[in-house]
Amino acid sequence: MAHTHTMKQRRAALWLCGGLALAGMPAQANIPVTVSVTVLSPPCIINGGRIIEVDFGNEIIITRIDGSNYTQTVGYSLECKGNSSNAMKLQVQGNAAVFEQGALQTSVADLGIVLKANGAVLAVNDWVDFTYPNVPQLQAVLIKRAGATLNGGEFAASATLKVDYQ
């Protein structure tokens, strides 16, 4: 899975107005001033900027793919410094499997990957809230389309792990 990071922006704005004093008129005037400010929380660093890889190995038995066998932990790290809030959210962004909307599609049509955050299914492109530094434990597990017969061979999938402030 690839990585990205995002920042939540908070905006404060005041409107800017101006006026001119004409010759012969008093030089005293009230002039509202507008200042526009964008406050950004610093970006978090996911997995030290490295790609997150999940290897299911070479000994997968096709008939044993059932949504619980072959569960793998998705190891990653998250470093946030100077953040304005510890209330955060995490998303795995990718292409959902046609046969299972919450699962990540692989390069094999009838094979998908279900993602879990702290043991609960995390549908692709959905967010899960958490409080930093307690990051969700992620897992990936293989599933196949009901009734499908898979052929042996390699498969791959990719997604983007996103973290944002709530």
Side-chain angles (χ1 to χ4, degrees):
M1 289 185 223
H3 69 281
T4 64
H5 50 80
T6 61
M7 297 173 266
K8 183 151 187 160
Q9 297 183 358
R10 285 183 264 150
R11 296 179 182 267
L14 302 170
W15 294 100
L16 183 54
C17 299
L20 298 173
L22 298 175
M25 298 200 57
Q28 190 176 33
N30 290 331
I31 302 172
V33 176
T34 298
V35 177
S36 181
V37 178
T38 301
V39 178
L40 301 175
S41 293
C44 294
I45 299 171
I46 300 172
N47 207 45
R50 296 178 312 275
I51 292 175
I52 300 167
E53 293 186 40
V54 178
D55 186 357
F56 286 94
N58 294 322
E59 297 182 21
I60 297 170
I61 300 171
I62 294 169
T63 57
R64 292 190 182 163
I65 297 173
D66 63 0
S68 64
N69 287 330
Y70 308 111
T71 299
Q72 296 293 318
T73 298
V74 179
Y76 70 102
S77 63
L78 180 64
E79 182 181 0
C80 301
K81 292 183 180 178
N83 43 316
S84 58
S85 171
N86 287 347
M88 303 184 85
K89 58 186 180 178
L90 177 142
Q91 176 190 57
V92 177
Q93 189 177 53
N95 295 324
V98 175
F99 65 94
E100 182 72 40
Q101 277 307 128
L104 181 65
Q105 181 63 57
T106 70
S107 56
V108 175
D110 291 331
L111 182 66
I113 299 172
V114 170
L115 299 159
K116 295 182 179 182
N118 298 327
V121 172
L122 173 60
V124 173
N125 302 316
D126 281 358
W127 291 94
V128 62
D129 296 338
F130 70 98
T131 303
Y132 183 80
N134 300 316
V135 298
Q137 179 185 7
L138 298 179
Q139 293 178 311
V141 61
L142 297 175
I143 63 164
K144 65 179 179 177
R145 180 190 307 259
T149 302
L150 300 173
N151 295 318
E154 294 185 0
F155 66 90
S158 64
T160 302
L161 180 65
K162 297 176 75 174
V163 171
D164 202 348
Y165 298 100
Q166 291 184 38

